[in-house]
Amino acid sequence: MADKRPSLTDAIRAAVPPVVRRQLSWWERLDAATVAELEAIREDWRAGRIPGSKTSLAKAIARELSERGLSDIGTQGVTSWLGKR
């Protein structure tokens, strides 16, 4: 009798769960106006209009977001975000 199992490809495709949306990134949870302001700060820093290191800027951003109750992101998270294009 013939093997009635699905092809290897079909079996693997069926075994892979559908893509589940991961948790939103910290900046995706902020309101649009705040994100726009942060993006402008990032662009100013990249253009050299804000002096200082990436780490010092990340610390300042993380501190301000925390003090304003907008996010509890840490310096490392902001540093990573600053490096994104």
Side-chain angles (χ1 to χ4, degrees):
M1 191 145 177
D3 190 4
K4 299 225 180 209
R5 292 189 298 177
S7 70
L8 177 62
T9 300
D10 290 340
I12 291 170
R13 287 178 193 254
V16 176
V19 176
V20 177
R21 174 77 172 146
R22 60 171 172 62
Q23 183 180 5
L24 295 176
S25 298
W26 64 270
W27 67 88
E28 294 172 319
R29 289 178 265 162
L30 298 172
D31 62 273
T34 302
V35 172
E37 195 170 356
L38 289 172
E39 287 173 348
I41 291 168
R42 178 172 58 185
E43 290 309 312
D44 283 349
W45 175 74
R46 286 183 180 157
R49 292 185 292 269
I50 297 177
S53 69
K54 185 190 300 186
T55 301
S56 64
L57 179 59
K59 286 178 183 179
I61 291 171
R63 182 179 55 250
E64 284 298 321
L65 290 174
S66 177
E67 288 176 1
R68 294 167 188 254
L70 297 172
S71 178
D72 61 352
I73 189 65
T75 303
Q76 282 185 304
V78 178
T79 301
S80 175
W81 174 81
L82 286 169
K84 293 184 185 298
R85 286 281 170 196

